[in-house]
Structures are given as structure tokens and as C-alpha cells.
Amino acid sequence: MVKIAVLVSGGGTNLQALIDRQQAGELGCGQISLVISSRAGVYALERAEKAGIESMVISRKECGSAENFDKKLVSELKSHGIELVVLAGFLSILGKEVIDAYPNRIINIHPSLIPSFCGNGFYGLKVHEAALEYGVKVTGATVHFVNEVTDGGSIILQKAVYIEPDDTPETLQRRVMEQAEWELLPKATAMLCEEIQKEKDNK
Ligand code: GRF
């Protein structure tokens, strides 16, 4: 099995999609072993608990500095034997120490077709507001590797979603989740777990 940590900050519908696929036996050799939230009291933590997955809160504020936050994160990931880190609506930026500890082993889901509507400041509804304001007719979601550039790592999977004439940021956000995010994130996770397992088998 390949041990996965899912990092969250909010409602956790992408976490739920991963849990559902795992329960349906569709996450390949991936095993969600840990959920880390950057905020206390979020619904994603309840989803983890209901699924019987260990969870914890690591908040940047409580850590005092970005460096301490990164250190704490790496030490928890390593002590739990985590091999793949999945960012599912995680709103804290990861520092170099975390990225260097998991080269090509951290992935993120972004709710647009990168390189459109991405980078610093493009999160949550803001992404969909920007797409509507620009007037694009197609948007979507992207799963990509995480490096030191926000939304800048290489792309793993993308899926397009059509924009409807009467869309609001909220209806568009929902459709992008339903038609793209909840499918792509588990798919990319399963693909990478397969790769990691093969690497381990060949050692
Ligand atoms: C999703 O739109 C995801 O693409 C973005 O943050 C949102 C998280 O939603 N990175 P949820 O917490 O998974 O419901």
C-alpha cells in the first residue's frame, strides 16, 4: 500500500471524493492514512472522523512562523510514513522544506484550466469570478505537481467544463467540482500511487 496524507482547510468535498473512491476500491494501492487541516472546526475533519481516518490540525498561527509550520508538517508526514501528499483545498502555502522533502510527491487540485486564472490570489470563488468576468466559454480543473511557484508545477490531468450563459460563481464552482474535480483528483492520486508502488517493488 502507498500511504497518502490529504491536506485540507474547508468543507472537504474533494477529500470526500477520495474517501468514496477508496471505499469503492478505486484508489488502487493508495491508502488515505492521515488528514491534516490548517484550520480547526472545518467540516473536512468530520468527514475524516466518519471514515475512521486519523486527523490533526496544524495551523500556521499556532506554529508562530512559516518555518515552524513547515517543520511541524514534515515531521508529522514523515512520522506517519506518508509517501504521497494530496492538497485538497489546502489554503496555506507550503515552504521549501516541505517541497524538498517530497519531490514530485505533492499534488494539488486547482479549479481552472491552468495557466488561466491561477497563481497568487486565485483561490475559491475568486477563480470562478475571474473566469466569468473574462467571459471564457470553457473552464475546468487541473491536477498538478506542487513546486515553489503557486499553481506552477507540471500538469498531471485536466478536464474542461462548459460555462453556461446564466452561471454565477457559485453555480460554476459547483459544476466544476461535480464534472471535473471529484473525478480528476482520485484518478491522479490512484495513478501516482501506482507509480510509487512500482518504484518500491523495483527496489
Ligand atoms: C476546490 O475548488 C479546490 O479546487 C480548491 O479549493 C476547493 C476546495 O473545496 N483548491 P473542498 O474543501 O474540497 O470542498
Side-chain angles (χ1 to χ4, degrees):
M1 291 309 254
V2 174
K3 286 190 172 185
I4 304 166
V6 184
L7 274 51
V8 297
S9 299
T13 63
N14 279 287
L15 167 65
Q16 191 63 53
L18 287 161
I19 292 170
D20 292 348
R21 293 301 172 90
Q22 177 172 298
Q23 286 171 352
E26 292 167 12
L27 216 51
C29 45
Q31 172 84 47
I32 307 168
S33 307
L34 181 64
V35 170
I36 299 178
S37 174
S38 62
R39 289 187 196 158
V42 296
Y43 192 60
L45 289 167
E46 271 181 52
R47 295 183 193 270
E49 196 186 333
K50 276 188 194 135
I53 301 166
E54 184 182 347
S55 66
M56 64 178 67
V57 176
I58 305 181
S59 87
R60 176 160 290 191
K61 241 190 193 163
E62 278 164 22
C63 288
S65 70
E67 289 74 29
N68 289 344
F69 174 76
D70 288 346
K71 275 202 173 66
K72 172 87 177 146
L73 211 51
V74 171
S75 105
E76 291 295 349
L77 292 170
K78 292 289 178 190
S79 70
H80 283 81
I82 298 302
E83 300 166 278
L84 178 68
V85 180
V86 177
L87 309 189
F90 188 65
L91 291 176
S92 285
I93 300 289
L94 298 180
K96 192 172 161 23
E97 182 168 348
V98 186
I99 290 163
D100 288 351
Y102 284 91
N104 282 334
R105 293 292 175 256
I106 309 177
I107 65 173
N108 179 47
I109 178 104
H110 182 76
S112 77
L113 293 175
I114 290 175
S116 290
F117 314 118
C118 62
N120 290 328
F122 285 99
Y123 60 88
L125 275 179
K126 289 180 198 286
V127 179
H128 304 290
E129 279 163 11
L132 291 175
E133 196 172 310
Y134 196 98
V136 291
K137 304 301 175 204
V138 179
T139 184
T142 304
V143 180
H144 62 91
F145 285 112
V146 172
N147 63 12
E148 53 294 331
V149 181
T150 309
D151 299 326
S154 57
I155 291 171
I156 303 166
L157 290 175
Q158 286 189 306
K159 190 176 177 201
V161 173
Y162 282 109
I163 289 178
E164 305 291 347
D166 55 354
D167 262 332
T168 62
E170 290 79 10
T171 61
L172 185 57
Q173 179 180 52
R174 184 75 192 176
R175 185 149 12 83
V176 169
M177 283 178 161
E178 286 172 356
Q179 293 185 5
E181 294 185 45
W182 300 341
E183 176 191 327
L184 284 193
L185 192 59
K187 203 170 164 181
T189 302
M191 274 168 51
L192 277 161
C193 286
E194 206 68 26
E195 215 178 282
I196 295 168
Q197 187 62 50
K198 269 191 199 144
E199 252 177 39
K200 292 204 287 184
D201 293 343
N202 290 336
K203 265 187 189 159

